[in-house]
Amino acid sequence: MAPSRTTACKRALVVRGGWDGHDPVAATDRHVTALQEDGYAVTVSDTLDSYLDADLLTATDLVVQCWTMGEITGPQAEGLSRAVRAGTGLAGWHGGIIDAFRTQTRYHLMTGGQFVHHAAEFMTFEVVPAPGKTDHPVLDGIDAFTVTTEQYYLHVDPAIEVLATSLYGHDPDHPELLGTPVPVTWTRRWGEGRVFVTTLGHSLADLEVPQTDAMIRKGMAWATR
């Protein structure tokens, strides 16, 4: 039986799995600790069948997903979408949220963007707050900063609220993309729910960059019911 939401404590469900290259266990363990420090009761799941448990999702204020690639069934995707529409928040980083379930377009519609390419080598790029977004709760106290990591090129929904961007760097395989503005961090509303996404977080070292860490923690808080 799912826990009751009558208590004051916020409840988070961390769903992890998929491709091992993004260290879903270690990466989410780091954020489980952060959520617990911020006062959440946390449940960890290694199965997408959690999205079939309507009672669990109703009692959940925030889903944090780290599941790169993989396959999700129609009923699983619909269960998650229905829960977010009803007010459960959804948050994630990098491939764990926007390189997930490549064939499930209904899922992509909810997240507002989908990874389509990255260069073979890491790039050094500046993450810059979008104009007029420096006062958004996700960016509070976070100025422009530089990272060296995997830079995602994306297809994105025009309805998202872009909070931070970068200019796509030199990619020998696709020089025509040089200088293209690409979203790095965004939010969107999905029914009564909130969705937070950042493309950063390829490795554990990336998650430890202070600005990235702060952005994810603030993003999870913003997305929470």
Side-chain angles (χ1 to χ4, degrees):
M1 179 179 294
S4 169
R5 292 193 63 251
T6 58
T7 60
C9 182
K10 293 292 184 179
R11 298 186 180 276
L13 171 66
V14 175
V15 180
R16 64 191 186 185
W19 183 57
D20 288 338
H22 284 153
D23 294 315
V25 172
T28 53
D29 280 350
R30 188 176 193 281
H31 290 287
V32 166
T33 299
L35 287 165
Q36 290 171 335
E37 289 174 352
D38 290 339
Y40 289 73
V42 182
T43 299
V44 177
S45 172
D46 299 315
T47 174
L48 296 173
D49 282 343
S50 294
Y51 297 154
L52 301 175
D53 190 335
D55 289 339
L56 172 64
L57 293 175
T58 297
T60 295
D61 300 295
L62 174 69
V63 173
V64 178
Q65 180 184 282
C66 186
W67 199 294
T68 303
M69 294 184 280
E71 298 289 338
I72 192 171
T73 68
Q76 289 167 341
E78 181 58 30
L80 175 61
S81 176
R82 187 183 305 113
V84 176
R85 282 192 178 280
T88 299
L90 175 64
W93 56 89
H94 200 61
I97 192 165
I98 54 166
D99 187 17
F101 322 132
R102 292 177 178 178
T103 64
Q104 188 56 260
T105 55
R106 287 183 295 176
Y107 171 83
H108 306 159
L109 186 62
M110 177 177 60
T111 59
Q114 173 64 21
F115 158 83
V116 293
H117 174 71
H118 64 70
E121 303 295 332
F122 284 0
M123 294 184 182
T124 298
F125 57 96
E126 187 177 28
V127 178
V128 180
K133 301 302 180 181
T134 55
D135 60 348
H136 192 283
V138 171
L139 294 184
D140 183 32
I142 301 174
D143 298 320
F145 62 102
T146 299
V147 294
T148 300
T149 187
E150 201 170 70
Q151 187 178 26
Y152 271 8
Y153 196 86
L154 311 159
H155 288 169
V156 295
D157 186 329
I160 63 175
E161 180 180 15
V162 177
L163 302 183
T165 65
S166 65
L167 298 180
Y168 196 72
H170 174 63
D171 182 344
D173 294 326
H174 290 283
E176 65 278 2
L177 301 179
L178 178 65
T180 302
V182 289
V184 172
T185 301
W186 67 84
T187 61
R188 76 166 305 148
R189 305 292 179 126
W190 190 248
E192 297 298 315
R194 296 178 172 191
V195 179
F196 162 81
V197 174
T198 185
T199 66
L200 303 174
H202 171 72
S203 68
L204 294 178
D206 290 339
L207 293 172
E208 292 168 358
V209 172
Q211 296 93 333
T212 301
D213 176 69
M215 194 182 297
I216 292 174
R217 290 184 71 154
K218 293 173 187 293
M220 292 190 300
W222 178 87
T224 299
R225 186 197 310 270

